[in-house]
Amino acid sequence: MKLLKKIEGLVGLGGDRAAAPPRYLSVSDGLIVTETHAEAWYVLESSNTDLMTEAARDAELDHASSALARTLAGQECHLKVLWSPLEAEDYRDEMAGGVFSAGEWERWADLRVARLQQMGLPTRTLLLGVRLTDRAGAAQSSSRRTVQDAFGITRSGLPARELARLDALMRRLGRRLEASPWAAKPATVDTLAWMIARETHRTTPLPTATRSSITGAQLVSLTYGRVLPYPDHLRLTDERGDVAAWVSVLTMPNFPAEMVSPGNGEWLRTLSEVNYVPELTEDQLDEVEQFGGIEPGELIVPVSPEASVRFTVHHKRDALKLVEQARILAKEQRVSAAKHSAEDPGLDIEETEAAMGGLIRDMRRDDVTLLEDHPRLIVTSTSSLADLRARVDAVITHYGGLGIDVIVGGEEQRELYLETLPGDRIRVPDLAHQRDVTALAGSWFWGGAKLGDDHGPIIGYLTGTTQAAFRYDATAGSDRGDATTTAFIGRSGRGKSTAMMLAIMDAAFRGAFNLVLDFKGDLAGLVTAAQDFGLNAHLVEINSRFAGVLDLFRLLEREGEKADQAQIEVPAQLSIAAPPHLRARGAETPIQRAVNAVIEQNERPATWQVIEYLRGMDDPLARETGDALHELAQTPLGSPFMGRPSGEAVPLRPEPGVWVVQMPGLSLPAAEVAREDWNPLHRMSVALMHSMLAYGVTTAGRRDLRGLRKAVCVPEVHVLTATREGAAFLSYIARVGRALGCALLLDTQDPESLIKLVGVTEQLATVFGFQLTVREQQDALAELLGLPKDNHTRAFIQSIGLNPDGTIRHGHCIARDHHFHAATVQFDVPSAELLELLDTSPKAANEEPDGDDEFDDDQDADDTGVQMEKVTL
């Protein structure tokens, strides 16, 4: 018998190569049971490691190594890294489930779905299987199965008692793995069914679990399929017998003696970085003929190779014996060589002895042990055999650049393919690696980019090592019971304003009230786009056509209530606008008297009525004050808040929609300028701004509007932070936003000034950092992003807004979410038509939106729109 096994091993038939494929009996939450054994399966969470600090990386790597050495010691494990396309249609269903409700949200969602389908973002799934126990009588059941199959008599399913015992074992191990960096959770029965069925590349719908398990005929249907092995690949056929996929399993026979992380030690994390150039399709060739070329980015697509790594972690006692044996063998070779080779044992022998001695010390001191692993890479093509071989070449070349040998498993494709299936076994033991657990932990199979919310609107995609859709909901902070402030920071022309407008659009479709204070005067396209999608959207400009629109009596009125708030705010506003010589003579008193009288005499008082009342009073100071205010009300700055309404403009109302108030002509005085030194332009600018600040504070704090989602959006926020009133307003909204259900969105080019507003920066839930080039500004942005202030971070911030060829990459930024994770994000406009509407460049300012006869095209709009990037994954 021993001689027979040696001969089988010599000709490549050793091990379990000839064993039958796994025969599944039951699949339930966290469990796959075959005729021979039971396995526990867990879904592993990804970790956000792309921008992790060195200290944090070292700590997490040590934690992972410890989890392997302690929790999985003595266990036979199976790690699978799988890729699947993002199911864009699921996004529409999610938005229909109560997320979007206003306007033509179906068309908005369909636009994003079409864009997601165009991008084809891959989704990574990490699964870990652990062999729990061998099933009693497996050999006998295997022999009985042959007889039963011959007569068509088969039995499926598990006794409830056995299933309960296995479930308890699975959950006991799961509680220990949950504390690992992978935050393991039992895989659902649907996930396990998908994992098994996807290997056949059939389009048969997955069966529905009955009582949380799949057994019998339903389970058999998961494995329907036919696999045809060839020397260097396999062909999987569909229901009609046509080839559905070409698959090649690659082995990794040789790794460098030393690997570094970051670097070639991250050999599993780097799976997402393998790209290749496929053959041009007929559509692409037609595009070349029609347009004379094709975008270079479209020629590079991801290979998305999958990984299957079976490994066994040795107990430390057994591992120490293996290492000690290797050290003794190296020592004996050194001594022997010293006697017979001119006393020169060779560097390799000496280094091996020293390395084994060092490893023994590490194993006795730290959570270090050995494991035996069998890595396999699976490359798949659904196009053609030639495409498969091009993908295989790309994988081999990629890993060759890391010093890792990857080869096609020639003549053993069937065995290697079966080995990758859940519930199977090691069939080709010849290619095992013995190394310490750090070699597997250092592969960072769970590393990459992870950022944003798990649910909600998709606004872009992650551009890190693991690309995925990026979800961001500006109004979700209060739902989480968290801070509600978001900052968009970066130099001009990098897409900050357009990114903010995308967030505002999503908030509007959620039924939020959005007040946008447009100090540059270049966001009129937001109103046009919102109206195009059926949203309630209005543009307010600072000119006589919008006279009275910002009247505080109107802004602060509540149905059935007296104008108590306006009785305080209107006199303060008119006192600011009044000339200083009149205020010095006591003009505040007649102004308050006029306000009181107008409120008493009119059901719907207005500021222009107060001015007319002043002009008709017997008091000379009152008449002089009224005349001065009347003349100021004829100016573009005075007309909106104290002019007589013409009836043309729609007044601001606290209701769902988008309200853009353009104020490009404001000149607010700096905080250090005394009020007595304000010029007329300062006074009118502050008085006008008083309307917006009072309206923002009152609307955010109204009890009857607590159930309404609200967002106050301030592009070029430095206009407000330069004044005491503006800084106080921002701090107030930021601090009470969670309780009031009001989000605050800020856009600035000056993070150094923003970081001094402690009330705002303390409440930042999300930060989007675009390109900056000045060292001090880069350090301030790094602090807000939670990144170290060093040369690497500064260089990274400076390069974030550029393509490899040096051209501007609009909408690309570093994002920090409410979990304090940071990663790179690309904001994505779902269509060229929407991009044109949201364009904030100077050329767009010359194209007036319908109904806005006096759009200020002289304003220096300095923030170009986000370009719809050609996605290169």
Side-chain angles (χ1 to χ4, degrees):
M1 183 62 70
K2 292 183 179 179
L3 179 61
L4 179 61
K5 289 186 175 180
K6 288 183 179 181
I7 296 175
E8 288 177 345
L10 182 64
V11 298
L13 297 176
D16 289 323
R17 283 177 167 87
R23 188 180 182 91
Y24 303 111
L25 295 184
S26 174
V27 175
S28 58
D29 288 340
L31 284 173
I32 293 179
V33 184
T34 69
E35 281 192 339
T36 59
H37 66 281
E39 293 180 350
W41 279 90
Y42 306 93
V43 175
L44 307 183
E45 289 290 332
S46 297
S47 182
N48 190 60
T49 61
D50 282 0
L51 301 182
M52 189 179 284
T53 63
E54 184 176 353
R57 283 178 61 92
D58 291 343
E60 184 152 336
L61 182 59
D62 291 342
H63 192 188
S65 298
S66 179
L68 288 171
R70 293 188 176 189
T71 308
L72 296 178
Q75 306 282 5
E76 296 180 22
C77 305
H78 187 188
L79 174 67
K80 291 183 71 70
V81 182
L82 307 178
W83 299 96
S84 60
L86 176 68
E87 295 295 337
E89 294 294 336
D90 293 345
Y91 179 71
R92 181 190 290 107
D93 296 337
E94 181 186 347
M95 296 303 102
V99 178
F100 288 158
S101 58
E104 298 176 15
W105 65 265
E106 297 94 343
R107 188 159 66 93
W108 177 257
D110 289 341
L111 193 64
R112 179 61 69 184
V113 168
R115 178 60 174 153
L116 291 173
Q117 292 173 337
Q118 178 188 6
M119 292 190 294
L121 292 173
T123 301
R124 186 179 68 176
T125 302
L126 302 175
L127 290 158
L128 176 65
V130 182
R131 189 171 181 137
L132 290 179
T133 179
D134 291 335
R135 300 188 64 241
Q140 291 85 346
S141 66
S142 178
S143 61
R144 285 197 305 267
R145 186 189 70 194
T146 305
V147 177
Q148 290 172 347
D149 287 348
F151 289 94
I153 305 171
T154 58
R155 184 179 61 87
S156 61
L158 282 180
R161 185 184 184 89
E162 182 180 0
L163 189 59
R165 182 179 63 85
L166 294 174
D167 185 77
L169 291 174
M170 178 270 295
R171 297 190 183 280
R172 189 179 306 141
L173 177 60
R175 282 195 294 270
R176 299 175 62 192
L177 287 173
E178 191 174 3
S180 70
W182 319 305
K185 296 181 180 179
T188 64
V189 63
D190 293 333
T191 300
L192 296 179
W194 166 79
M195 177 179 64
I196 295 173
R198 69 190 299 276
E199 302 297 343
T200 63
H201 288 269
R202 293 288 178 98
T203 58
T204 306
L206 294 179
T208 303
T210 304
R211 297 182 179 178
S212 300
S213 65
I214 299 176
T215 59
Q218 286 186 324
L219 185 54
V220 173
S221 68
L222 290 179
T223 57
Y224 277 154
R226 187 176 183 183
V227 181
L228 306 176
Y230 286 78
D232 64 343
H233 71 281
L234 305 110
R235 298 183 184 183
L236 287 82
T237 62
D238 59 18
E239 297 85 345
R240 298 183 301 273
D242 299 327
V243 178
W246 292 260
V247 178
S248 185
V249 184
L250 314 182
T251 61
M252 309 179 78
N254 186 40
F255 286 84
E258 293 184 0
M259 296 190 293
V260 296
S261 178
N264 61 352
E266 302 179 3
W267 55 279
L268 282 178
R269 183 202 57 77
T270 193
L271 287 169
S272 61
E273 299 177 3
V274 185
N275 299 314
Y276 83 119
V277 179
E279 293 288 336
L280 292 179
T281 64
E282 290 297 327
D283 292 340
Q284 290 173 322
L285 291 174
D286 292 342
E287 184 177 343
V288 171
E289 293 181 356
Q290 183 176 359
F291 301 105
I294 191 170
E295 289 289 335
E298 291 187 358
L299 298 177
I300 303 175
V301 298
V303 175
S304 299
E306 299 181 344
S308 171
V309 183
R310 291 185 178 273
F311 63 94
T312 302
V313 181
H314 298 301
H315 287 290
K316 184 170 290 190
R317 179 182 64 257
D318 299 331
L320 282 170
K321 289 181 180 179
L322 291 173
V323 178
E324 180 64 19
Q325 290 173 1
R327 188 192 67 80
I328 292 174
L329 179 60
K331 180 180 178 180
E332 292 174 349
Q333 290 176 341
R334 176 178 58 80
V335 173
S336 176
K339 293 179 180 179
H340 301 93
S341 302
E343 299 184 356
D344 182 13
L347 288 178
D348 289 344
I349 296 175
E350 292 180 346
E351 289 178 355
T352 299
E353 183 181 1
M356 294 301 101
L359 182 56
I360 290 174
R361 289 193 300 272
D362 292 341
M363 292 173 65
R364 288 173 175 168
R365 185 174 59 245
D366 302 322
D367 286 330
V368 177
T369 186
L370 296 183
L371 60 77
E372 177 181 304
D373 66 310
H374 303 256
R376 313 285 187 251
L377 300 181
I378 303 96
V379 183
T380 303
S381 172
T382 57
S383 300
S384 65
L385 179 58
D387 183 67
L388 171 69
R389 287 173 174 161
R391 290 170 180 260
V392 169
D393 290 343
V395 174
I396 294 174
T397 302
H398 174 82
Y399 279 97
L402 301 177
I404 301 174
D405 292 341
V406 175
I407 62 174
V408 177
E411 302 294 346
E412 291 190 308
Q413 287 293 300
R414 173 190 177 276
E415 291 75 15
L416 292 171
Y417 171 78
L418 291 175
E419 188 178 286
T420 66
L421 299 179
D424 204 78
R425 66 196 75 190
I426 296 172
R427 294 173 176 268
V428 186
D430 321 51
L431 304 174
H433 299 278
Q434 294 280 356
R435 41 190 174 175
D436 62 76
V437 291
T438 308
L440 182 59
S443 70
W444 287 96
F445 56 84
W446 74 101
K450 181 183 179 183
L451 198 73
D453 302 322
D454 295 329
H455 308 282
I458 294 177
I459 202 169
Y461 57 93
L462 302 180
T463 59
T465 53
T466 51
Q467 296 184 336
F470 174 66
R471 296 174 181 266
Y472 166 69
D473 185 353
T475 65
S478 56
D479 296 338
R480 296 189 302 265
D482 198 3
T484 59
T485 303
T486 299
F488 299 79
I489 303 170
R491 67 187 304 197
S492 63
R494 295 304 181 268
K496 303 186 308 298
S497 295
T498 310
M500 177 186 284
M501 286 190 282
L502 285 174
I504 294 171
M505 290 284 287
D506 280 327
F509 284 111
R510 295 215 64 183
F513 163 77
N514 297 270
L515 176 62
V516 185
L517 306 182
D518 183 10
F519 294 117
K520 292 190 301 180
D522 63 350
L523 301 186
L526 172 61
V527 175
T528 306
Q531 291 175 344
D532 184 63
F533 282 90
L535 291 169
N536 179 30
H538 303 277
L539 176 67
V540 176
E541 296 179 273
I542 304 306
N543 55 51
S544 58
R545 191 161 66 87
F546 293 87
V549 170
L550 303 184
D551 189 333
L552 281 175
F553 278 112
R554 282 190 176 189
L555 298 182
L556 305 182
E557 70 177 350
R558 301 189 194 182
E559 188 175 354
E561 297 184 13
K562 292 185 178 180
D564 295 338
Q565 189 68 26
Q567 196 169 9
I568 300 172
E569 298 291 351
V570 172
Q573 182 183 51
L574 294 180
S575 297
I576 294 172
H581 69 279
L582 296 177
R583 192 169 58 251
R585 290 165 52 190
E588 286 92 343
T589 301
I591 289 176
Q592 185 67 62
R593 185 179 300 119
V595 169
N596 294 341
V598 168
I599 292 175
E600 185 68 27
Q601 296 173 9
N602 296 273
E603 291 185 3
R604 296 198 64 188
T607 301
W608 68 269
Q609 295 173 348
V610 174
I611 295 174
E612 292 303 315
Y613 191 91
L614 285 169
R615 297 177 70 188
M617 292 176 64
D618 295 334
D619 183 0
L621 176 60
R623 291 198 301 273
E624 189 175 351
T625 302
D627 289 339
L629 293 174
H630 176 75
E631 295 304 321
L632 291 172
Q634 312 310 310
T635 65
L637 288 180
S639 177
F641 70 91
M642 58 182 178
R644 188 166 187 168
S646 62
E648 297 181 26
V650 177
L652 289 178
R653 293 188 298 267
E655 60 187 27
V658 179
W659 307 81
V660 177
V661 182
Q662 291 191 330
M663 298 172 284
L666 292 191
S667 178
L668 299 174
E672 61 272 12
V673 179
R675 185 169 178 174
E676 293 74 17
D677 298 330
W678 290 359
N679 59 37
L681 182 57
H682 287 159
R683 295 199 317 273
M684 296 302 293
S685 297
V686 173
L688 175 63
M689 183 54 60
H690 187 85
S691 281
M692 300 315 306
L693 300 187
Y695 178 59
V697 170
T698 302
T699 302
R702 283 177 54 174
R703 291 184 178 275
D704 58 325
L705 299 179
R706 292 290 174 90
L708 175 66
R709 293 178 181 269
K710 298 175 286 292
V712 176
C713 314
V714 188
E716 300 303 313
V717 73
H718 62 269
V719 175
L720 282 185
T721 57
T723 68
R724 292 190 186 91
E725 295 81 1
F729 166 75
L730 296 174
S731 296
Y732 172 79
I733 297 296
R735 291 180 186 275
V736 303
R738 179 197 62 80
L740 303 180
C742 182
L744 179 62
L745 279 66
L746 308 177
D747 166 359
T748 182
Q749 302 177 32
D750 185 11
E752 195 175 12
S753 298
L754 179 64
I755 206 169
K756 296 176 183 177
L757 295 177
V758 179
V760 175
T761 55
E762 177 63 26
Q763 302 301 322
L764 282 174
T766 308
V767 178
F768 297 107
F770 296 77
Q771 185 189 41
L772 288 170
T773 57
V774 178
R775 179 189 179 98
E776 292 75 16
Q777 302 284 16
Q778 291 171 344
D779 286 346
L781 178 57
E783 183 173 345
L784 293 174
L785 291 170
L787 300 178
K789 300 179 185 178
D790 54 25
N791 290 332
H792 173 75
T793 302
R794 296 185 194 105
F796 187 50
I797 292 175
Q798 180 153 343
S799 64
I800 192 64
L802 299 176
N803 288 309
D805 60 358
T807 57
I808 297 175
R809 182 174 181 176
H810 300 284
H812 196 224
C813 65
I814 309 168
R816 190 213 80 188
D817 65 8
H818 59 278
H819 296 297
F820 292 90
H821 295 161
T824 53
V825 168
Q826 174 68 56
F827 282 93
D828 186 75
V829 183
S831 74
E833 293 76 15
L834 179 62
L835 175 64
E836 185 176 355
L837 290 176
L838 297 180
D839 190 5
T840 61
S841 63
K843 64 180 179 62
N846 294 321
E847 300 174 5
E848 300 178 1
D850 295 340
D852 296 331
D853 300 329
E854 300 180 29
F855 185 77
D856 186 2
D857 55 287
D858 295 327
Q859 179 65 23
D860 184 17
D862 59 356
D863 209 8
T864 59
V866 182
Q867 292 182 349
M868 189 170 67
E869 305 288 347
K870 293 283 188 178
V871 183
T872 302
L873 302 179

